[in-house]
Amino acid sequence: MVMPIYDDAPMRFMRRPWVNWTLIFVNVAVFLVVQSEIFGDPLTVMRGFAIIPRVLFGEAALAKWVVGPPAPLTLLTALFFHSSLLHILGNMLFLYVFGDNVEDAMGSLHYLLFYLSCGVASGVVFAYASPHSITPLVGASGAISGVCAAFLLLHPRSTIFGLVLGVLPIHAPAWMFVGTWIILQFINAASGETGHVAWFAHVGGILAGLALTPLFKRRGVRLFGPPPRPAARLEQNEAPPPQE
């Protein structure tokens, strides 16, 4: 397991990635509210807002006491619920490290639409991969997988600093760090690996991210280019250039 800590890709167009920070805040706030049990049992609350393939396709229905939106809307609401502290910490770490640079390259509104589109796509792929499943899907992993794919396209030569197995420090170019992570998602999905990770949701988010990044990025941003260099600062005794 690899965990990114930070990257050296500088911000080029904005100082503060407000949308990315807001997404992190909303996810954390929803998690804390749900886990506080103000609205009842957390598992029951999450089930109402989760993607359940059989419910999404009309083959089953939730119990009457489970509160939630119409089934199609769960493709969006599921993105903001997380099942455990480890689940949300891992997702928010990836979003914090990679999301700011993607928002910078797309602009705030385009980034928000991109994030939600990747999340919806990931839920659709998950549902079609297991159309008769009653296993609920929650979490921002699919949307964040799309963000990781976008970062790979936008900043492949930047350096990622992180940890392997939670303890071993590593720094590697983004094409290797993120690229290896993406390959592992496809391998796990293809192998039929089961457990608590929805690999096909990750795959759906990655494919959406790869397809949508060229459409959502700013016009002046190149794909596969070198990491943008920050503007040079004037030395203390250096006079500014004359202005016309």
Side-chain angles (χ1 to χ4, degrees):
M1 185 179 78
V2 294
M3 296 187 302
I5 304 300
Y6 65 95
D7 63 77
D8 66 355
M11 302 286 282
R12 182 178 177 186
F13 298 99
M14 58 177 56
R15 292 184 177 181
R16 297 176 177 85
W18 291 111
V19 167
N20 201 57
W21 290 352
T22 300
L23 288 171
I24 294 173
F25 173 80
V26 171
N27 275 282
V28 172
V30 170
F31 176 78
L32 294 176
V33 169
V34 171
Q35 295 300 319
S36 71
E37 301 187 7
I38 294 176
F39 298 104
D41 176 58
L43 293 179
T44 302
V45 173
M46 285 189 290
R47 180 173 289 272
F49 293 87
I51 299 170
I52 302 176
R54 288 195 67 185
V55 175
L56 182 64
F57 294 131
E59 296 181 357
L62 293 173
K64 293 182 179 180
W65 63 81
V66 178
V67 177
L73 286 182
T74 60
L75 292 170
L76 284 174
T77 58
L79 299 175
F80 298 96
F81 288 79
H82 291 81
S83 58
S84 68
L85 181 61
L86 183 61
H87 189 198
I88 191 170
L89 287 178
N91 276 351
M92 294 305 101
L93 178 60
F94 270 77
L95 185 58
Y96 175 78
V97 172
F98 298 120
D100 56 348
N101 294 107
V102 178
E103 181 178 350
D104 180 62
M106 293 183 175
S108 294
L109 178 58
H110 278 190
Y111 174 67
L112 177 60
L113 295 175
F114 171 84
Y115 179 91
L116 296 177
S117 297
C118 290
V120 169
S122 72
V124 170
V125 171
F126 168 79
Y128 275 99
S130 304
H132 305 296
S133 173
I134 59 172
T135 301
L137 172 69
V138 293
S141 303
I144 296 169
S145 295
V147 172
C148 292
F151 188 93
L152 179 64
L153 293 180
L154 295 166
H155 301 288
R157 302 183 190 179
S158 63
T159 302
I160 308 298
F161 300 85
L163 297 174
V164 177
L165 302 177
V167 293
L168 300 176
I170 183 177
H171 64 277
W175 65 264
M176 180 181 296
F177 190 102
V178 181
T180 300
W181 180 84
I182 287 176
I183 291 172
L184 289 175
Q185 310 313 299
F186 279 87
I187 291 175
N188 287 322
S191 66
E193 177 72 21
T194 59
H196 297 292
V197 180
W199 301 110
F200 274 101
H202 293 190
V203 168
I206 291 167
L207 293 176
L210 295 175
L212 295 178
T213 298
L215 303 178
F216 281 85
K217 70 177 182 64
R218 300 176 191 265
R219 290 184 178 181
V221 173
R222 292 188 303 158
L223 297 178
F224 306 110
R229 303 176 67 180
R233 296 182 178 178
L234 294 174
E235 296 295 336
Q236 185 174 1
N237 297 325
E238 182 181 352
Q243 298 183 359
E244 296 182 356

